[in-house]
Amino acid sequence: MKSYVVGNWKMNFSVGESSVYLHKLLQRTHAYRDIEVIVAPSLIALQPLSLQIDRKKIRLAAQTANPHDFGAFTGEVSFTQLRGIADYCIIGHSERRHLFHESDKQIRSSVASALRNQITPILCIGETDTERTFGETYDVLRDQLLGGLSGVSAEDITKVIVAYEPVWAISTTSDARLASPDEIASIIQFIRQTLNEHFGQEVGENIPILYGGSVKPTNAGAYLTVPGVNGLLIGGASLIADQFTEIIEIAKKVKS
Ligand code: PEP
């Protein structure tokens, strides 16, 4: 299975800055057969960057999209409109769930719409600090996972990527709040087992599962060697070319 290194730029960089930054990344990145490097710029930059990108080296992802194909949805952009521009879309990121109140139902519609439009969904799931404290982690993860994927056909499920991002570990500056590789290992095993139970072992075993939560060059190697982790979803460190390219190199080393 390929490894994935995904950079979520969130609401950072102007269109011009995004283009300059992408240029820098393209200069420093090689075309790897076994590593898929993906960046998710803000929506306004996606189309111009799609003309600049070298897809052999880096692919583009949207950070969200509206599941309706067209219509009276002021301010929204649909998966249909992103077709041919982005190859991937992050769906159900914790900021979308918590700041913009996206429900599992909306997220499920987004996963379906992405698949209908040949865009690979990267479905994010993760428990909050409070849910973790109250021992609800596994229930929350199961609900988010199956809530997002129920109804996906046997054929389409093979095109989905899952990202486990504990909300309490996102964008932390404190080492004490980083998720430990052991903790992640048990959770990845649970996610894999849930996928196996619902979609069959052969399919479940082949769905890529990424980890995200304050990944940096100093911890990327440890996270990438957790059994069952097939890549990383990176926020803050993806905005710094030295750090992002170092993480890609680490992924390459771990893979070989
Ligand atoms: C994220 O928001 O998806 C993320 C993982 O951010 P960070 O790497 O900054 O924790």
Side-chain angles (χ1 to χ4, degrees):
M1 194 189 300
K2 271 188 184 179
S3 278
Y4 295 81
V5 178
V6 186
N8 178 7
W9 297 356
K10 306 192 182 183
M11 201 173 71
N12 293 293
F13 299 145
S14 67
V15 175
E17 287 165 348
S18 301
S19 169
V20 170
Y21 186 57
L22 178 65
H23 180 73
K24 201 187 270 186
L25 292 181
L26 286 169
Q27 279 183 322
R28 295 180 182 199
T29 315
H30 305 280
Y32 297 122
R33 205 186 313 157
D34 48 3
I35 312 264
E36 182 91 317
V37 179
I38 303 166
V39 295
S42 62
L43 187 56
I44 194 173
L46 265 178
Q47 195 277 337
L49 295 201
S50 74
L51 304 177
Q52 179 189 342
I53 202 127
D54 175 351
R55 287 188 159 79
K56 287 197 278 312
K57 291 184 177 179
I58 300 182
R59 300 271 175 161
L60 288 176
Q63 297 175 13
T64 186
N66 188 290
H68 296 93
D69 289 342
F70 296 101
F73 300 98
T74 301
E76 294 292 282
V77 169
S78 68
F79 289 93
T80 309
Q81 291 171 309
L82 287 173
R83 201 172 166 155
I85 293 176
D87 291 315
Y88 295 85
C89 185
I90 298 170
I91 295 177
H93 187 276
S94 61
E95 286 151 20
R96 301 295 318 170
R97 290 180 190 268
H98 300 294
L99 300 176
F100 301 100
H101 312 293
E102 278 186 13
S103 64
D104 281 327
K105 187 165 173 255
Q106 273 171 284
I107 290 165
R108 178 160 62 245
S109 303
S110 292
V111 168
S113 184
L115 291 165
R116 199 166 64 236
N117 286 289
Q118 279 86 55
I119 292 173
T120 302
I122 303 174
L123 173 67
C124 298
I125 59 172
E127 78 286 6
T128 62
D129 205 9
T130 311
E131 289 161 345
R132 181 183 185 223
T133 307
F134 283 90
E136 296 166 1
T137 299
Y138 289 93
D139 287 343
V140 168
L141 294 179
R142 187 189 294 104
D143 286 353
Q144 291 183 352
L145 187 66
L146 300 179
L149 296 180
S150 72
V152 174
S153 71
E155 192 197 334
D156 278 348
I157 196 70
T158 61
K159 301 171 191 155
V160 166
I161 296 175
V162 172
Y164 169 55
E165 298 205 300
V167 182
W168 49 269
I170 290 181
S171 303
T172 180
T173 47
S174 148
D175 278 358
R177 291 190 55 89
L178 287 176
S180 75
D182 282 351
E183 201 169 356
I184 296 167
S186 340
I187 289 186
I188 298 289
Q189 199 185 355
F190 169 78
I191 295 171
R192 187 74 71 196
Q193 190 188 319
T194 308
L195 290 170
N196 288 349
E197 278 164 16
H198 284 79
F199 299 104
Q201 183 144 2
E202 209 188 312
V203 172
E205 290 299 332
N206 286 302
I207 294 178
I209 304 179
L210 318 187
Y211 175 72
S214 302
V215 174
K216 297 186 177 50
T218 46
N219 58 29
Y223 289 145
L224 281 166
T225 43
V226 170
V229 167
N230 308 113
L232 302 169
L233 177 50
I234 306 150
S238 76
L239 302 173
I240 303 160
D242 284 349
Q243 294 199 13
F244 191 60
T245 49
E246 199 180 333
I247 294 171
I248 298 167
E249 289 309 316
I250 292 167
K252 181 67 198 156
K253 267 196 212 117
V254 169
K255 198 76 195 162
S256 55

